[in-house]
Structure formats: C-alpha cells, structure tokens
Amino acid sequence: MLKKTQGIVLGAIRYKETSIIVKIFTRELGLKSYLVNGVRTQGNKSKIALYQPLTLLELVVYDKDTAGLQRISEAQLHRAHQLIPFDFTRTGIALFITEVISKSIYENYQNESLFDFLKECIIHLDSKEVHLGQFPLVFLIEKASYLGFAPQEALGFLSESRSQPFSVSELTQAENYLAALMSSSFSNEAKIGKTLRQKLLDHLLDFYSQHLDNPGNWKSLVILRQLNG
C-alpha cells in the first residue's frame, strides 16, 4: 500500500554497487529502513543528496506489514537547508542531533509529537537567529520530555544522575541555567561560562545514558567540542 508521509533522514549505508539502505524517521509510520536503488551512479548525484542526515523529505512509500526493507516510490525535499551544510558549527550540531535521535528510537518506533519537535529543531538550527552554544542543551532537555523521562524541575536533571561533576557553587549556577532553558527554550538569553556549559552537556548525556538501552559512547561529542565553544 502506498502512503504519504514526511520524513527526517538519519543516515544511509552503501548497499551493493549503486544502492543504499537509508534510515528515515517518518511522521506517520515511525522509523523505517528503505532500500533505494541506483542512487550512487554518476547521473544520480542529485538523488543521493536527498538522503543526507537531517534532510526533511516529502515521501510516498510502500508500507507493508512484513518485516524487512521497505521501498520509496517518491521522494522530494520538504525544505532545503540554507545554513547547516555550509557552517561547520551547525554541521557539528547536526551530527550530534542525528546521533542522539538514532540512539533514542528503534525500528518502527512512531511518535508524531516527537517528529514535529525534531522538525522544528532542525528548521531552527538552520535559521540565523539560533543561539548555537546552548542549542545542544535545549535539544536534550526538551527531547527527554517526548521520550517520557524528563524531570518536572531543573534540579531533577541534576539529582537523577549518577555523575555529579559540579562544585557547590557550580550546582546552583547549573540549576538556575537549566531552569532558564526549561522556561524559555531556544529563546533563552541567560549566559553561562563555557566550562560549566560543557559540564552540563556531559551531565545531560550521562542522564540520557541511564535511560536508554546501551547507547555506548557519544561519538559526535568530540566534534561538537571542537566546533561549538
């Protein structure tokens, strides 16, 4: 059966000589793996570009009840990125977002509210108004609520974790900053030092690791640290 849906590309791997297997988090059908034939040929560079991480797509797909790879009937851009592919910091954050999403959901997992949130985050990352330094923190805080393990108050993010890297004075600053992020989201204007912001990021990732099944190391964190001061 053919179905229309929007999708967020999470990644692709090569398959045989000219094809790929692409993972796409779709709004209506959940996380799916699709076999796309013939896109790695000389004349199909524009098609392979559709399947770069965090690309927003309009899709017509074959949806079968049987397990295994599905196929795409039609794919086109929902919105072309203007800044993410051309800005190193945004690219690093995009890699980070992709890794967090990929480790947080599983095949066939479907959550329209989460999809809408992720779509808004990607569009915001691609805008000129975004505060890049705090973006990963806001993303982790708000995404946790869609996954069902976000505390109601800022202190919960700090107390419900096995790691406590903060001094007494830092703990107060961290709680106040988290409270500001939870209150004003991406529009937050509060400031915090780079070192404490990095500690908070490590802490939130440890918080995620406690709630996810075997997330492993966060590989994109090294790149994020180099690009996002």
Side-chain angles (χ1 to χ4, degrees):
M1 179 184 296
L2 286 173
K3 292 186 178 179
K4 290 184 178 181
T5 186
Q6 292 184 357
I8 299 170
V9 178
L10 297 183
I13 59 172
R14 295 181 178 184
Y15 180 74
K16 296 187 176 179
E17 293 186 4
T18 62
S19 303
I20 60 172
I21 296 173
V22 57
K23 279 193 174 293
I24 302 178
F25 183 40
T26 70
R27 190 176 190 275
E28 284 80 12
L29 305 173
L31 179 62
K32 297 288 185 179
S33 295
Y34 294 99
L35 175 61
V36 185
N37 292 322
V39 293
R40 290 172 44 229
T41 58
Q42 188 65 30
N44 278 329
K45 291 184 177 180
S46 60
K47 289 184 178 181
I48 194 69
L50 290 174
Y51 302 108
Q52 301 306 305
L54 295 194
T55 302
L56 301 174
L57 295 176
E58 296 285 347
L59 297 164
V60 178
V61 299
Y62 294 95
D63 185 45
K64 299 180 180 180
D65 293 333
T66 56
L69 296 174
Q70 308 284 348
R71 291 184 181 269
I72 297 172
S73 175
E74 300 176 25
Q76 61 183 15
L77 285 176
H78 170 76
R79 179 185 181 278
H81 295 325
Q82 303 299 313
L83 299 175
I84 292 174
F86 312 107
D87 180 283
F88 287 141
T89 301
R90 283 179 171 82
T91 300
I93 295 174
L95 291 173
F96 175 76
I97 290 174
T98 303
E99 182 177 17
V100 173
I101 298 171
S102 297
K103 290 183 176 182
S104 303
I105 61 177
Y106 47 84
E107 197 78 10
N108 296 318
Y109 176 87
Q110 196 262 339
N111 185 330
E112 292 184 7
S113 296
L114 175 60
F115 179 93
D116 292 340
F117 164 72
L118 296 175
K119 177 182 172 182
E120 290 178 8
C121 285
I122 295 166
I123 293 173
H124 187 57
L125 179 60
D126 199 48
S127 71
K128 294 181 179 179
E129 294 76 22
V130 63
H131 298 297
L132 294 175
Q134 70 183 18
F135 190 100
L137 296 175
V138 178
F139 175 78
L140 290 173
I141 291 168
E142 297 201 358
K143 187 174 185 292
S145 65
Y146 291 94
L147 296 174
F149 54 76
Q152 295 297 313
E153 299 179 353
L155 184 60
F157 279 103
L158 301 173
S159 61
E160 296 179 24
S161 179
R162 59 196 168 203
S163 69
Q164 293 295 334
F166 308 105
S167 65
V168 175
S169 61
E170 286 178 334
L171 191 62
T172 301
Q173 294 181 59
E175 182 181 356
N176 291 338
Y177 187 64
L178 282 175
L181 294 179
M182 292 174 71
S183 174
S184 52
S185 187
F186 290 108
S187 62
N188 171 64
E189 295 293 340
K191 304 294 182 183
I192 197 171
K194 176 182 176 180
T195 299
L196 186 52
R197 192 171 70 238
Q198 290 182 344
K199 282 187 177 183
L200 265 175
L201 181 59
D202 289 341
H203 188 79
L204 287 175
L205 287 175
D206 182 73
F207 176 83
Y208 262 68
S209 295
Q210 290 177 233
H211 288 86
L212 300 177
D213 293 331
N214 192 29
N217 295 326
W218 300 95
K219 297 178 181 179
S220 61
L221 186 60
V222 175
I223 299 174
L224 192 64
R225 289 227 184 284
Q226 295 174 344
L227 297 175
N228 191 28

